[in-house]
Amino acid sequence: MILTDRKNDMICENLSRSESGELCFAGMALTPLARQYGTPLYLYDEERIRERIRTYKSAVSATFGERGRVLYASKAASFKRLYEIMKEEEMGIDVVSRGEIYTAIKAGFPLCKAYFHSNNKTDEDIEYAIDNGIGYFVCDNAEELFAIEKIAGAKGVLQKVLLRLTPGIDPHTYAAVATGKVDSKFGSAIETGQAMEITKLALSLSSVKLCGFHCHVGSQVFDSEVYLAAADVMLTFVAEVKRELGYLADELDIGGGYGVRYTAEQPTIDIAKNISEVGEFMHKKAEELGISLPTVAFEPGRSIVADAGLTVYTVGTVKNIPGYKTYVSVDGGMTDNPRYALYGSPYTILPVERETENAMTCSVVGRCCESGDILQENVEMPRDIKRGELIACLTTGAYHYSMASNYNRIPRPPVVMLNNGESYLAVKRESLDDIVDLDV
Ligand code: LLP
């Protein structure tokens, strides 16, 4: 993997401290933003999102030319403004539910550039997606293929489909996000022969147009060998299908998953160099196999939005248990960031109004009525940190807002975009009335 090393707390280029020691994000001081919008507060650096998109797009076009695509995996963060940005940047998108499709529609995103994933699409989902002109289904299994055939047939539609396959690769990441192994709820396995079976089936149907194959090995992946291995298995399968069935795939989507830097100890992946490495490998492999390389799609989510996001909290109770530890509680927690509770994910948490001097080690915890509601353990904070101070959790742009909940009936924070020294609201703060709105 091609990595860059930057060792200090300012783990992304869009972070800095002013002369007075105030933490700034996207060039804007955080205290005035916290005052204006309240806390907890999700912030997004719009320029950073666009920069990441452009890095992907130019790397993909440098390697694959016209035959390269970048789709934003919108499960990482999904709200109207993001789909508008994706539309402006001429991206494709990956969606996994009617909710994401609906949000994209509301943002005016052209659905012909959307790929509909999920291991269990209901008939209603399929119907809804077809009615709204979805570009592609990424079909998970044979049962789903029959359902798409039936519904598309009844509507007189020829529906474009990719088949999701499991290449049998272990991505060396945490188990909950490893999806490319044979034993997975996703896709049809190449190893068991099911992939070949479903390909035959797809080619025999009349309302489904098979466009190619898809795989996704996992998320928060730092090992570039994993992508080369997946590309190897998938291209070998493409060649086998051509030999056996005379069908040459037009498109090969190799998923998302590039890891991001949550702490100074973690590396930064050089996306452009990694894509060029994958591209070089794929061109060579296709030549060896005697096939022309299909259009290649990448499907990043986390690495587009993660370090474009940051969450600001206000400190509440600070509790020292002599001989044990200090708990610093904040006004958010697992409701706006469940990732430590779910995966033990590391984070960098910093005081906003001053640098950490005379540090103590503490646990930063949320306000939910649950001991597991922890944002991070072993955090360095100023020894005299107190109620009312602001702290920031970095790299919260991916899988935070999209995984937020109303546990304990806590309203979700707003999403505020930062751009060129200006801020604007993308998602309003939930109110207490919103919380009871669906109660009858
Ligand atoms: N494509 C497919 C089919 C996926 O399942 C995923 C992520 C992606 C693309 C995007 O992967 P990314 O580039 O974001 O790594 N909630 C977990 C992550 C779950 C990832 C699910 N699939 C977390 O917070 O770490």
Side-chain angles (χ1 to χ4, degrees):
M1 179 70 55
I2 300 137
L3 310 160
T4 324
D5 214 17
R6 296 180 83 218
K7 267 207 178 57
N8 76 55
D9 281 348
M10 300 295 107
I11 56 174
C12 179
E13 286 145 38
N14 55 1
L15 288 163
S16 58
R17 288 232 179 238
S18 70
E19 269 175 30
S20 64
E22 165 116 12
L23 190 61
C24 301
F25 185 57
M28 295 182 76
L30 295 180
T31 309
L33 290 165
R35 231 177 264 133
Q36 183 179 350
Y37 295 101
T39 61
L41 172 63
Y42 291 124
L43 296 173
Y44 276 91
D45 172 355
E46 182 177 334
E47 201 40 48
R48 178 69 181 164
I49 298 171
R50 293 185 189 272
E51 192 184 299
R52 298 297 283 169
I53 292 171
R54 289 169 192 168
T55 298
Y56 264 103
K57 288 190 79 168
S58 66
V60 165
S61 100
T63 313
F64 300 101
E66 290 288 295
R67 306 220 69 188
R69 280 190 192 166
V70 189
L71 320 174
Y72 167 59
S74 66
K75 67 207 82 184
S78 171
F79 48 87
K80 274 165 43 184
R81 182 63 191 132
L82 270 184
Y83 292 111
E84 283 168 9
I85 292 173
M86 295 307 149
K87 181 181 169 191
E88 286 162 17
E89 297 289 337
E90 299 183 335
M91 287 279 279
I93 54 167
D94 141 358
V95 288
V96 291
S97 72
R98 259 185 282 171
E100 287 182 356
I101 294 174
Y102 185 71
T103 312
I105 292 172
K106 286 288 181 188
F109 187 87
L111 267 205
C112 58
K113 293 174 79 176
Y115 289 62
F116 188 11
H117 284 265
S118 155
N119 63 310
N120 184 20
K121 302 170 187 79
T122 63
D123 287 358
E124 291 77 16
D125 291 338
I126 295 170
E127 183 141 7
Y128 181 79
I130 293 177
D131 285 346
N132 284 288
I134 197 92
Y136 298 78
F137 278 84
V138 181
C139 178
D140 188 88
N141 55 68
E143 208 176 295
E144 182 183 310
L145 198 53
F146 281 122
I148 297 170
E149 165 75 5
K150 191 166 155 216
I151 297 167
K155 292 177 185 295
V157 166
L158 178 62
Q159 181 57 52
K160 289 191 276 186
V161 159
L162 299 185
L163 299 177
R164 178 161 183 171
L165 309 182
T166 37
I169 307 279
D170 184 346
H172 314 298
T173 182
Y174 39 104
V177 297
T179 49
K181 297 202 268 187
V182 174
D183 181 359
S184 163
K185 75 167 182 170
F186 295 104
S188 306
I190 294 178
E191 187 186 303
T192 59
Q194 285 163 305
M196 187 59 84
E197 282 309 307
I198 192 177
T199 305
K200 266 187 219 152
L201 177 62
L203 290 170
S204 73
L205 300 176
S206 55
S207 299
V208 157
K209 181 178 178 348
L210 181 62
C211 295
F213 303 107
H214 169 279
C215 73
H216 171 75
V217 287
S219 199
Q220 187 62 356
V221 176
F222 282 106
D223 181 358
S224 60
E225 293 296 318
V226 163
Y227 288 94
L228 304 187
D232 192 340
V233 173
M234 294 298 284
L235 281 172
T236 304
F237 181 74
V238 168
E240 206 179 313
V241 168
K242 181 166 178 255
R243 245 187 349 263
E244 279 193 27
L245 309 176
Y247 166 76
L248 180 62
D250 191 46
E251 196 165 323
L252 183 54
D253 180 338
I254 59 169
Y258 281 118
V260 303
R261 190 176 199 219
Y262 288 97
T263 61
E265 291 71 41
Q266 290 179 321
T268 302
I269 294 183
D270 186 328
I271 294 295
K273 285 193 180 149
N274 278 278
I275 287 187
S276 130
E277 187 187 41
V278 174
E280 217 172 283
F281 175 86
M282 290 180 93
H283 282 293
K284 216 168 103 217
K285 185 78 194 172
E287 206 179 308
E288 266 169 43
L289 292 165
I291 53 169
S292 53
L293 187 61
T295 291
V296 175
F298 290 82
E299 221 169 52
R302 190 190 310 268
S303 51
I304 298 281
V305 287
D307 63 21
L310 173 151
T311 309
V312 188
Y313 301 99
T314 302
V315 170
T317 303
V318 178
K319 182 182 292 179
N320 174 255
I321 310 173
Y324 291 86
K325 67 166 89 147
T326 302
Y327 286 93
V328 173
S329 310
V330 296
D331 54 354
M334 67 191 293
T335 45
D336 61 82
N337 176 7
R339 296 192 69 259
Y340 186 79
L342 280 172
Y343 321 117
S345 303
Y347 281 101
T348 303
I349 301 182
L350 301 173
V352 166
E353 293 133 301
R354 53 175 167 157
E355 293 194 56
T356 303
E357 275 164 4
N358 191 15
M360 62 164 174
T361 303
C362 63
S363 289
V364 177
V365 299
R367 64 194 301 197
C368 285
C369 199
E370 174 157 338
S371 306
D373 177 18
I374 296 169
L375 286 180
Q376 199 62 207
E377 292 175 286
N378 301 316
V379 179
E380 303 258 291
M381 277 286 150
R383 199 167 290 278
D384 59 347
I385 187 130
K386 57 183 184 309
R387 191 178 187 87
E389 273 194 59
L390 298 174
I391 65 174
C393 183
L394 312 184
T395 329
T396 62
Y399 304 109
H400 282 234
Y401 173 69
S402 62
M403 290 173 72
S405 77
N406 289 127
Y407 183 41
N408 289 174
R409 297 234 129 178
I410 292 172
R412 276 174 287 204
V415 176
V416 168
M417 310 291 293
L418 308 179
N419 191 14
N420 263 326
E422 308 271 337
S423 65
Y424 65 92
L425 204 54
V427 181
K428 287 187 267 186
R429 182 182 295 285
E430 261 176 353
S431 66
L432 292 176
D433 279 332
D434 291 330
I435 296 281
V436 293
D437 211 32
L438 299 176
D439 295 13
V440 287

